[in-house]
Every structure is written in C-alpha cells, then in structure tokens.
C-alpha cells in the first residue's frame, strides 16, 4: 500500500505563495520523512515547478504527480495528472473535456464553511468527479464538514481520499490515503478510481487551527468563517451536554 497525499502548496503558488514559506524540495523532504510515497503539488491556477523537482522527488523515493487547484466560479477543484491542464480559471465543461483515463478530478473541502468550498459544483457535476476529499484541516469538534463529504461520497459511489492541504510543513503526515497500487502516477489514478483506498487521519488540535489562521494571512476570511463555525459547534456541544446531564435532587 502506498501512502498518497494529493493536495499541497509551495512558495511559488501565485495565490498563497506570499505566506507559504517552503519550497517544493523542502516539501518533498518533509513528505519523505513523514513516510509518504506519492504526492501532488497543487498550486492555485498554475503548475509553478519543472521536471527537475520530479527528478528530485524520485531520488527521495517519492512519486511526484503533476496537479493544480483550479478555480471554477470562484470555488476550488483539484486536477491530478492531466496530460494537458485546462486554464487555471475554467469551467467544469473545460475540465471534463481535458480529462483522460489517467487523470483525477477531486472535490477539495467541499462542505467547509467557505466561499471557495465547492459543494454546489460537486452536487451539480458529480459525474465529472472521481473522488471527494477528506480534509486534514479539522479538529475533533469540526468533523461535521468532513462527515458531510463522506456522506456525499457514499451516496454517489465515489472514493474518499485524505489530503493535507499543506500550507505549512508541520501539517504533513496526519491525513493521507493508503492506495493499493504500483508506485507510478497511472497506477495510482487507476487504483483511486477503482476504490482501492483507505483513509488514514488524525485531527489537529484547536491550537493548530489557530496557528494556521494566524500564519495564513491570505485566508483571513476563511479562517474567520472556520473559527465562527468552531464556536457554534462548541456552543452546541455544551448545550447538548447540559441538556443530557443527570439532575441532582
């Protein structure tokens, strides 16, 4: 079984690069240290690295799969191992036309409380998608967003893949996908499509989420929405506990 993670950003990302500090090589070094066997670098709307990084990954025992986080009507869609990628800002029709048997379309964080989450895109274009992401950006109190993604995947007979959505190297190694495949991009894609996968995940601490929110300056609105929803979940949990607590007479 390969340990695979399909969602990472690096310092040359044109959107998040102003706060993502690590290079592609540093990401690969950390991925190898975390025991990953394959990964996709998925910068926003671009592929800002060359074949030299792929060769470096191979030297480290990592299969580097070419990827991109495209924007569709302002929401995000992960494109993995396309022979020819559509423009970074595109439509689902563009993505469907560019897909091949060796490529994957993954819905990242689709039910998260953010404008970039693609719930509507996923629900309206489910046949174009090959998998649904279980995002590593969660705590024990915010599992509901991933639970909704898992439920949609089950209803739609789509596999679930665990991804880190790496912006900081300390995130790596907690959430990933075990894939029953040979160590090459085409075999990994085929295995995911066939559902030969197993989710491996460990939640973050709430202090990790705060750390992410403070450090990721370009995602202030996303962090604000996430923290507001975290507060709502905590309040609901406390109310439920108070309601079910035994009375003392």
């Amino acid at each position: 079984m390969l340990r695979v993670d399909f969602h990472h950003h690096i310092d040359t990302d044109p959107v998040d690069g102003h706060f993502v500090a690590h290079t592609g090589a540093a990401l690969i070094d950390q991925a190898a240290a975390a025991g990953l066997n394959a990964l996709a670098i998925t910068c926003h709307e671009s592929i800002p690295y060359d074949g030299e990084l792929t060769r470096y990954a191979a030297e480290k025992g990592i299969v580097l799969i070419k990827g991109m986080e495209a924007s569709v009507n302002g929401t995000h869609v992960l494109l993995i191992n396309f022979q020819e990628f559509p423009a970074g800002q595109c439509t689902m029709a563009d993505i469907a036309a560019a897909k091949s048997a060796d490529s994957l379309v993954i819905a990242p964080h689709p039910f998260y409380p953010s404008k970039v989450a693609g719930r509507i895109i996923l629900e309206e274009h489910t046949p174009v998608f090959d998998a649904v992401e279980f995002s590593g950006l969660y705590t024990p109190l915010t599992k509901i967003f991933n639970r909704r993604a898992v439920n949609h995947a089950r209803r739609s007979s789509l596999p679930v893949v665990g991804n880190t959505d790496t912006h900081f190297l300390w995130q790596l190694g907690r959430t990933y996908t075990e894939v029953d495949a040979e160590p090459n991009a085409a075999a990994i894609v085929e295995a995911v499509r066939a559902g030969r996968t197993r989710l491996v995940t460990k939640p973050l601490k709430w202090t990790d989420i705060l750390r992410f929110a403070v450090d990721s300056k370009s995602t202030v609105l996303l962090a604000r929405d996430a923290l507001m929803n975290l507060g709502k979940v905590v309040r609901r949990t406390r109310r439920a506990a108070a309601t079910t607590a035994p009375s003392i007479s």
Side-chain angles (χ1 to χ4, degrees):
M1 298 288 279
L2 302 178
R3 295 180 176 183
V4 186
D5 191 337
F6 294 103
H7 194 172
H8 305 277
H9 300 270
I10 59 176
D11 60 347
T12 49
D13 190 306
V15 175
D16 292 341
H18 66 286
F19 72 86
V20 175
H22 56 266
T23 64
L27 174 70
I28 289 165
D29 289 342
Q30 187 66 25
L36 296 178
N37 306 112
L39 59 86
I41 294 176
T42 50
C43 292
H44 291 287
E45 303 176 6
S46 67
I47 305 172
Y49 60 91
D50 57 23
E52 183 60 35
L53 192 60
T54 302
R55 289 188 288 273
Y56 181 76
E59 293 173 2
K60 295 290 183 176
I62 300 285
V63 177
L64 180 58
I65 307 171
K66 190 170 288 187
M68 178 172 69
E69 188 162 20
S71 293
V72 178
N73 295 334
T75 64
H76 295 166
V77 178
L78 292 180
L79 308 182
I80 307 297
N81 203 45
F82 275 56
Q83 294 178 4
E84 291 188 16
F85 283 78
Q89 296 186 29
C90 57
T91 66
M92 289 305 297
D94 295 330
I95 292 172
K99 278 186 67 174
S100 70
D102 292 332
S103 59
L104 287 176
V105 180
I106 302 174
H109 44 67
F111 291 89
Y112 271 55
S114 167
K115 292 180 180 178
V116 300
R119 176 184 63 82
I120 294 176
I121 291 291
L122 173 60
E123 292 176 342
E124 291 182 349
H125 300 275
T126 293
V128 181
F129 287 90
D130 302 293
V132 178
E133 177 182 271
F134 186 106
S135 175
L137 284 170
Y138 76 103
T139 71
L141 291 176
T142 57
K143 293 184 291 186
I144 186 172
F145 309 126
N146 279 323
R147 190 180 305 126
R148 290 171 179 168
V150 170
N151 289 340
H152 179 90
R154 287 173 177 167
R155 291 194 302 269
S156 305
S157 298
L158 290 174
V160 174
V161 293
N163 289 333
T164 300
D165 194 359
T166 304
H167 290 76
F168 307 101
L169 293 180
W170 56 261
Q171 295 176 253
L172 274 168
R174 290 175 175 266
T175 295
Y176 55 89
T177 310
E178 288 188 342
V179 180
D180 183 10
E182 294 298 314
N184 63 76
I188 291 169
V189 167
E190 190 277 328
V192 170
R193 286 187 164 192
R196 300 198 306 271
T197 61
R198 188 176 80 88
L199 171 69
V200 178
T201 186
K202 180 181 179 180
L204 298 174
K205 300 176 182 178
W206 70 268
T207 51
D208 293 326
I209 296 296
L210 286 176
R211 179 183 179 187
F212 184 95
V214 170
D215 291 343
S216 57
K217 299 178 180 63
S218 75
T219 55
V220 172
L221 294 178
L222 174 61
R224 183 199 64 187
D225 291 344
L227 290 173
M228 288 177 62
N229 278 276
L230 175 59
K232 291 178 182 178
V233 171
V234 170
R235 288 192 293 273
R236 284 200 300 268
T237 302
R238 288 176 175 172
R239 285 197 297 268
T243 301
T244 57
S247 60
I248 300 176
S249 56

